[in-house]
């Protein structure tokens, strides 16, 4: 089995539940994302009270869809369930709120997405992933200047 190549910063993102750039030598990116999904599913089985594991699973599902590896309808139920559980466990988690914002975005619920992503940025202003998704959503709505 190939071992993942993960930079030190990316490794800390993985432990925190986020999507890091994970590659497996000689394998396409979607293999790494699927392994990342399995990693979070295993982590959920071990620690079902950790919001970060659920947020990480939702993020991995979203990346598989965004990069065109799977249809939205294939991953949306898992993504939505994981994001909602992440928020139930820790409603003050920026990662959980970002994951739920991305679910809302994938459902074309612009106001719900904006609410969740804005809250994620307020909860943790230095979290790059939350700021990035919020800015992209604002740009898609023609409000890029608000992204600051």
């Amino acid at each position: 089995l190939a071992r993942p190549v993960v930079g030190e910063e990316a490794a800390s993102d993985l432990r925190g539940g986020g999507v890091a750039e994970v590659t497996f030598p000689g394998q396409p990116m979607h293999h790494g994302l699927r392994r990342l999904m399995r990693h979070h599913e295993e982590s959920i089985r071990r620690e079902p009270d950790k919001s970060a594991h659920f947020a990480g699973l939702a993020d991995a599902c979203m990346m598989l869809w965004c990069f065109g590896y799977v249809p939205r309808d294939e991953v949306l139920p898992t993504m939505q369930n994981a994001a909602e559980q992440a928020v139930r466990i820790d409603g003050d988690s920026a990662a959980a709120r970002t994951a739920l914002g991305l679910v809302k975005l994938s459902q074309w619920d612009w106001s719900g997405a904006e609410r969740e992503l804005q809250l994620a940025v307020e909860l943790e202003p230095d979290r790059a992933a939350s700021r990035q998704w919020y800015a992209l959503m604002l740009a898609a709505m023609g409000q890029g200047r608000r992204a600051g």
Side-chain angles (χ1 to χ4, degrees):
L1 276 174
R3 299 195 61 166
V5 177
V6 181
E8 189 54 40
E9 184 175 328
S12 69
D13 286 347
L14 273 174
R15 288 188 293 273
V19 172
E21 182 178 328
V22 179
T23 59
F24 292 83
Q27 295 184 11
M29 184 178 175
H30 68 92
H31 288 274
L33 289 170
R34 288 189 185 278
R35 285 185 183 200
L36 185 58
M37 276 183 68
R38 287 193 299 273
H39 164 78
H40 288 298
E41 289 168 340
E42 291 167 10
S43 297
I44 288 167
R45 282 191 284 279
R46 283 193 317 274
E47 298 177 297
D49 60 338
K50 298 284 185 180
S51 176
H53 300 321
F54 288 94
L57 176 58
D59 287 349
C61 289
M62 188 275 313
M63 296 301 282
L64 279 166
W65 167 55
C66 278
F67 285 119
Y69 294 121
V70 296
R72 180 182 75 101
D73 293 342
E74 184 178 316
V75 293
L76 185 57
T78 301
M79 187 173 139
Q80 182 172 357
N81 290 336
E84 289 173 350
Q85 184 62 20
V87 170
R88 274 193 292 276
I89 293 169
D90 184 359
D92 291 330
S93 162
R97 292 295 178 173
T98 300
L100 187 55
L102 294 175
V103 167
K104 303 280 186 195
L105 198 58
S106 72
Q107 296 169 328
W108 319 123
D109 176 358
W110 297 101
S111 62
E114 181 175 10
R115 181 178 55 252
E116 294 298 333
L117 292 169
Q118 186 173 26
L119 179 56
V121 170
E122 289 170 6
L123 288 167
E124 195 175 332
D126 294 333
R127 186 170 190 275
S130 300
R131 294 184 83 71
Q132 171 193 345
W133 285 113
Y134 183 51
L136 288 170
M137 188 238 19
L138 288 172
M141 293 173 54
Q143 300 178 24
R145 289 188 177 156
R146 286 183 45 211

